[in-house]
Amino acid sequence: MIQALMSGLDLMWTPLSLGLTVLGVVFGLIVGALPGLGPLMGIVLMLPVAITLPPVAAMGFLIAIAVGGSCGGSISAILLRIPGTPLAAATLLDGYPMAQNGRAADATGIAISASALGGLFGGIVLIFFSPLLASFASQFAPPEYTMLALTGLIAIAVVSEGSLLKGLIVGAMGLLIATIGTDEFSTGYRFTFGSYDMLNGFHIVAIVVGVFAISEMTMQVASGGLNDRPAVGAVRPSFRTFLLTLKHWVNLIRSSAIGAFFGALPGAGGTISSFAAYAAASAVAKPEEGYGKGAEGGVVATESANNATVGGSLVPSLALGVPGDASSAVLIGALLILGFFPGPQMFQQQPEIVGGVFLVYLFSNVALLFVGILATPVFVWVLRLKKSYLIPVVLLLCAIGTFALQASVFDLWVMLGFGLLGILLRLGNYPLAPLVIGAILGPLLENNLRRSLLISREGFWIFLDRPVAATLVAANVLLILGALWMGYRRRQLKKKMQEPNNTATRSA
């Protein structure tokens, strides 16, 4: 691993890679601070630009957006009591009371410092565990990869918003989309309807931009308030807040470990990890610390956890090719477009790319600390912009980036079509992430399933004859059964909560 880091240093330590990483952090902080955008939207918007760059510079740019975006949501959560992203929902529990108590600058500085330190902890986890996982996965054959892809898809569907059934439906839709185009085995055409443009299927960037960006901007327009301008005062945090963060070093390490753990679980994500870290910190806190009333430790716990999640989510993404969340799914898509296949083979055949990705991730968190604290007044100014200015810019970036992929008008139609699909899914309360992850994992699942059945003499029994594949089958069954049980318990609890109201109504 040391050799990979040393070889990756030459690719990372260039003006282009370093400059784009810093630029990615700035852009990530901006889109994270703006409610309704977030790191995923930032990655989606810049994906068409990134895939034209050298691989390490491209991944540094996109990963830095994820790092900055995960932290940026805390700025609006602290100052406006509106989380810029769901990741920052737990931060406002103590961040906003700190701002109300006249400590807005301290709260913002602590959030940025904790995010940077938590991200560095996640980087250590990434560097240590992903090679071990890749080494283990190097023994995988088609049956194991089939079940692994299925596990990633089911895990995302299980923890997505809405019911399990809705998550599975959208995931299956993504798998079907992945079948469009030329069959790699038979070279036959599938669902092309005689169109030359569809021989290679739909471009993943057009799908992602449409499903997430176009649908989100449409919903923002429909929600109104296009000319509202939030009232935000001036905030200038200092580097003294870094020392305030280090005072809570036990909380910092514990919360970062929680974040990295949940990040490595496909589908868990930063929202769950930040609330789990906050619960753990408040459980062991002394009463005088005042959690929920402006405690520094509350901000440290949530922000260190959600940024450590970024490093944790890259572990299965790089080592296995299975995305930990929607953002890492788009990062995998970027690697595939650049000509690299995440998994054990990349660790063996392109160690310099792996080392370079590790180093740009670490550097992005260092840049986050300095850029975040020094440029906070800029991000506060961005919060005052009207939606009527931002939405046209985002839509223009979507159109330009998608068209620039292949200079194809067809890609623009694909973007708009999937934008309409994203709107319909949102209106029906269907999750969006399983669609994109299904489209990315579809080829991996289909190709390895067909290879498994070709080499098997007993049909589908091959998945139970091999220990690792059988373990993954059992994990998939447990995931589904667990989700069904939790859904049943939620319905029972909801029914019990409604019974007193019904009784009171009948009595009246």
Side-chain angles (χ1 to χ4, degrees), residues 269-407:
T271 305
I272 297 175
S273 68
S274 58
F275 276 102
Y278 185 84
S282 59
V284 299
K286 298 176 182 178
E288 57 267 24
E289 291 186 49
Y291 271 69
K293 301 177 181 178
E296 295 178 358
V299 178
V300 170
T302 57
E303 286 302 307
S304 59
N306 67 37
N307 260 50
T309 302
V310 178
S313 68
L314 290 175
V315 173
S317 301
L318 294 177
L320 303 176
V322 175
D325 56 14
S327 295
S328 55
V330 180
L331 294 176
I332 288 178
L335 276 173
L336 293 172
I337 295 170
L338 291 167
F340 301 95
F341 295 90
Q345 288 186 348
M346 191 170 77
F347 279 75
Q348 296 170 357
Q349 298 174 6
Q350 292 105 10
E352 69 282 357
I353 300 298
V354 175
V357 170
F358 288 169
L359 291 173
V360 292
Y361 173 75
L362 292 175
F363 178 69
S364 65
N365 284 282
V366 175
L368 172 64
L369 176 63
F370 292 95
V371 171
I373 289 180
L374 293 175
T376 293
V378 177
F379 308 133
V380 173
W381 174 80
V382 170
L383 281 177
R384 302 190 185 107
L385 294 177
K386 299 177 182 179
K387 284 185 184 179
S388 57
Y389 297 157
L390 292 171
I391 292 175
V393 173
V394 172
L395 292 175
L396 182 62
L397 288 173
C398 291
I400 293 174
T402 303
F403 179 78
L405 293 171
Q406 304 174 108

Side-chain angles (χ1 to χ4, degrees), residues 229-265:
R229 190 190 297 271
V232 186
V235 177
R236 294 182 180 275
S238 69
F239 285 99
R240 180 183 63 86
T241 54
F242 181 76
L243 299 178
L244 292 178
T245 305
L246 290 179
K247 285 170 53 180
H248 304 273
W249 63 273
V250 175
N251 183 5
L252 183 71
I253 294 173
R254 179 182 59 244
S255 301
S256 299
I258 291 172
F261 172 75
F262 278 103
L265 297 177

